Amino acid sequence: MRFSVKTIVFTAVFAALCCVATMVIIVPLPNGYVNLGDVFVLLSGWCLGPCFGSIAAGIGSMIADIVSGYAMYAPVTFAVKALVSLCSYLVWRLFKNIIKKDKLDFLNRLISAIVGEIVMVFGYFLYESILYGFSGGALALLGNTLQGACCAVVGVLLVIAIINVKYFNKIFPHLCKNEE
């Protein structure tokens, strides 16, 4: 793990992107809201790697909950979003080593995004089941699944668009297709 000014700055930038994306485009639901924050939760893991990506995703998403009036979700949001970012990165690396063709990197990203978003849906289901009972947790499943599916698709499309830009590969070594 390398601490540099660049790494710290990009961690803060991705935390801010997670926060803003969570707060700007929202669709209210009975137990929360659907947002596009997970697009940047996924991107933070893929761009910054497992440690700093998880920190950015957790902190940015947690701040969005606090500022938006969902402070009771802040601790679980920090943990769940950090896990989403971590799992997405680790699953992508695993599948990248199995499916080595660069042309199929979108498949590795999609599989990793789906796994990450399943972690999100399951994490919030557990927490909301504790808060509201099993039926309350089940009520939020549809909204969280919808959010996860949308963010997985948008996140994969966005990473595929930026991965071909040499500048992004240079500043985000974890994003590189050929990273060893």
Side-chain angles (χ1 to χ4, degrees):
M1 178 169 40
R2 187 168 165 242
F3 288 92
S4 68
V5 172
K6 179 180 103 171
T7 302
I8 293 168
V9 168
F10 279 121
T11 301
V13 167
F14 271 93
L17 288 169
C18 288
C19 181
V20 169
T22 300
M23 294 176 62
V24 170
I25 302 173
I26 60 170
V27 177
L29 296 173
N31 289 3
Y33 53 91
V34 173
N35 62 72
L36 292 180
D38 278 13
V39 169
F40 293 98
V41 168
L42 295 168
L43 284 173
S44 68
W46 292 330
C47 290
L48 300 175
C51 179
F52 292 104
S54 297
I55 291 168
I59 289 174
S61 301
M62 177 185 69
I63 290 171
D65 276 356
I66 292 169
V67 172
S68 298
Y70 292 94
M72 68 183 187
Y73 279 86
V76 75
T77 291
F78 176 82
V80 166
K81 300 302 181 166
L83 277 174
V84 169
S85 183
L86 176 66
C87 289
S88 296
Y89 176 82
L90 294 176
V91 170
W92 168 68
R93 290 289 296 166
L94 173 71
F95 276 89
K96 188 175 85 104
N97 290 331
I98 295 169
I99 304 171
K100 296 184 187 269
K101 295 187 185 294
D102 287 346
K103 289 182 180 180
L104 296 178
D105 190 57
F106 77 92
L107 185 58
N108 301 333
R109 303 283 181 172
L110 183 60
I111 292 167
S112 71
I114 290 168
V115 169
E117 294 306 319
I118 288 171
V119 168
M120 182 271 294
V121 170
F122 184 69
Y124 281 116
F125 170 74
L126 287 177
Y127 186 70
E128 290 169 335
S129 292
I130 292 168
L131 286 180
Y132 308 115
F134 180 80
S135 60
L139 178 65
L141 280 174
L142 180 61
N144 287 333
T145 302
L146 177 65
Q147 174 178 312
C150 291
C151 289
V153 169
V154 173
V156 170
L157 291 174
L158 191 54
V159 78
I160 294 305
I162 68 171
I163 201 165
N164 294 313
V165 178
K166 289 181 183 181
Y167 178 75
F168 286 112
N169 285 306
K170 184 178 178 182
I171 62 173
F172 300 120
H174 291 284
L175 184 62
C176 296
K177 295 182 270 191
N178 298 321
E179 177 196 16
E180 294 301 325

